[in-house]
Amino acid sequence: MELAPHGISVNALCAGVTDTPAARKIPKSERLFARARAANPGNRLTTPEDVAEAIVALAACRSTWLTGNNIAVDGGEDLLG
């Protein structure tokens, strides 16, 4: 609301389950990873590169009308979950 009058868009990325060192510290993380893979139409986890690609795509977008969104970067994982 505060930035839109200045032509600045703001969006949030909601990454799917990603195998990272921090995620591996979650108790029973392997089960979490297995469930996420099974729920994902691509049968894989989200990678940091997947999230980076979404950031690059949004940064390249010149539309200030694309704003205020929560964008799932999860390969469809949330569709079945």
Side-chain angles (χ1 to χ4, degrees):
M1 297 296 294
E2 295 172 12
L3 298 175
H6 303 286
I8 299 171
S9 61
V10 178
N11 294 287
L13 297 181
C14 304
V17 175
T18 307
D19 186 353
T20 64
R24 289 192 167 272
K25 292 181 180 181
I26 298 171
K28 301 180 184 176
S29 60
E30 286 301 326
R31 289 185 191 176
L32 173 69
F33 298 154
R35 278 191 303 240
R37 274 190 206 94
N40 192 301
N43 198 35
R44 69 173 180 85
L45 299 177
T46 299
T47 66
E49 292 79 13
D50 294 324
V51 179
E53 287 176 8
I55 292 169
V56 169
L58 280 172
C61 178
R62 295 180 183 252
S63 174
T64 58
W65 207 243
L66 177 62
T67 190
N69 297 287
N70 293 313
I71 302 168
V73 182
D74 65 3
E77 174 186 321
D78 197 40
L79 295 174
L80 301 174

